[in-house]
Amino acid sequence: VRRGTCAVGVRGKDSVVLGVEKKSVLKLQDPRTVRKVVLLDDHVCMAFAGLNADARVLINKARMECQSHRLTVEDPVSVEYISRYIAGVQQKYTQSGGVRPFGISTLIIGFDKDKNGQSVPKLYQTDPSGIYSAWRANAIGKSATTVREFLEKNWKEDMLEDEVVKLTVKSLLEVVQTGSKNIEIAVMKNDGILLNLTADEVDAISKIIEKEKEAEAEKNKKPGQPSSLGPVPMQS
């Protein structure tokens, strides 16, 4: 899991965002077949870090459970329900003979209805051990600790969609060496529809972040500040 590419989830006031670091696609490879963000149901989305083959098996199991729940209960699954199911499958594989644990961690986003019927954004994480928990913002995969520390410093309550997207891109740029071209962003609004940002949109956000960093660096420079080294003494 720690060797897998980084994935970030950030929850806002009325939206929730997943961001992932994409691996560089080979020249002749179709990029549509290499995806780290997938839909489990119409209103539930998942990103993962770890082994792609293990993820494919777990995704198929989760999708089957979502459809089975719709048929049986005639209601879509809640985000907590499917997170608990995925964590349960992962835990089962830690104690069964002849199988190995799933080599992936997941971030699951979506919207659930509260007591008043309002759509509330949700973000859950599951581990290979079978633990699942709810988060405001979290990161998994390579350099997850660095990204999580960045999110802890910069996350705020009731962030709007633009702020959530910007924070997600900003946090990934902390660890992605190749810049915005290898970042994939998926946004889910309170209508439950998933929107994947294009490479140009991610690049535009990245440029805004770079300009803000440059402006902040200029602001921190004090004009007329003497050099810390001081004048070099003349040698006789």
Side-chain angles (χ1 to χ4, degrees):
V1 172
R2 291 198 182 100
R3 289 180 188 172
T5 51
C6 189
V8 178
V10 183
R11 202 180 78 195
K13 185 181 179 182
D14 56 0
S15 60
V16 59
V17 177
L18 282 176
V20 295
E21 176 189 354
K22 294 188 294 185
K23 283 187 177 176
S24 297
V25 180
L26 298 173
K27 192 175 181 181
L28 299 177
Q29 193 174 15
D30 186 350
R32 291 175 301 174
T33 60
V34 184
R35 299 201 64 82
K36 303 283 283 186
V37 179
V38 293
L39 277 170
L40 300 180
D41 203 348
D42 296 335
H43 65 298
V44 182
C45 183
M46 184 182 105
F48 63 90
L51 300 173
N52 283 39
D54 286 18
R56 192 176 67 244
V57 172
L58 198 57
I59 288 161
N60 285 339
K61 285 178 180 288
R63 282 174 171 169
M64 287 288 287
E65 181 61 26
C66 288
Q67 296 308 309
S68 173
H69 189 278
R70 272 182 189 271
L71 269 172
T72 310
V73 188
E74 295 185 1
D75 271 326
V77 294
S78 67
V79 184
E80 184 184 1
Y81 175 87
I82 199 63
S83 301
R84 189 168 65 241
Y85 172 80
I86 289 170
V89 173
Q90 286 178 300
Q91 195 280 330
K92 191 167 73 175
Y93 275 70
T94 65
Q95 63 178 34
S96 304
V99 296
R100 62 163 175 79
F102 281 95
I104 62 163
S105 279
T106 69
L107 289 173
I108 301 157
I109 64 166
F111 279 82
D112 285 344
K113 299 283 185 187
D114 64 7
K115 291 176 183 176
N116 301 320
Q118 299 292 319
S119 292
V120 181
K122 298 283 184 180
L123 169 65
Y124 282 86
Q125 183 211 343
T126 74
D127 283 334
S129 60
I131 297 168
Y132 77 99
S133 49
W135 292 77
R136 296 182 182 92
N138 198 11
I140 54 174
K142 191 168 56 181
S143 307
T145 308
T146 308
V147 178
R148 199 177 296 120
E149 285 170 1
F150 178 85
L151 291 169
E152 283 170 6
K153 289 175 189 171
N154 293 279
W155 188 88
K156 299 190 294 286
E157 285 278 358
D158 295 336
M159 285 195 298
L160 299 174
E161 183 190 330
D162 292 346
E163 295 173 298
V164 178
V165 172
K166 192 188 280 187
L167 178 59
T168 308
V169 175
K170 211 171 181 179
S171 62
L172 279 169
L173 286 172
E174 291 287 306
V175 295
V176 177
Q177 304 297 324
T178 50
S180 62
K181 67 177 182 179
N182 276 8
I183 290 176
E184 184 181 343
I185 300 291
V187 183
M188 190 174 280
K189 301 178 187 178
N190 55 8
D191 54 9
I193 296 170
L194 188 76
L195 174 68
N196 287 296
L197 299 191
T198 63
D200 291 337
E201 287 172 322
V202 176
D203 191 47
I205 295 163
S206 178
K207 281 175 181 170
I208 291 167
I209 292 165
E210 288 299 322
K211 282 180 185 174
E212 286 176 0
K213 280 184 180 176
E214 285 170 15
E216 198 174 328
E218 286 292 325
K219 194 178 174 183
N220 291 338
K221 280 183 186 174
K222 293 181 181 176
Q225 189 176 14
S227 173
S228 58
L229 296 172
V232 178
M234 296 282 291
Q235 290 196 3
S236 55

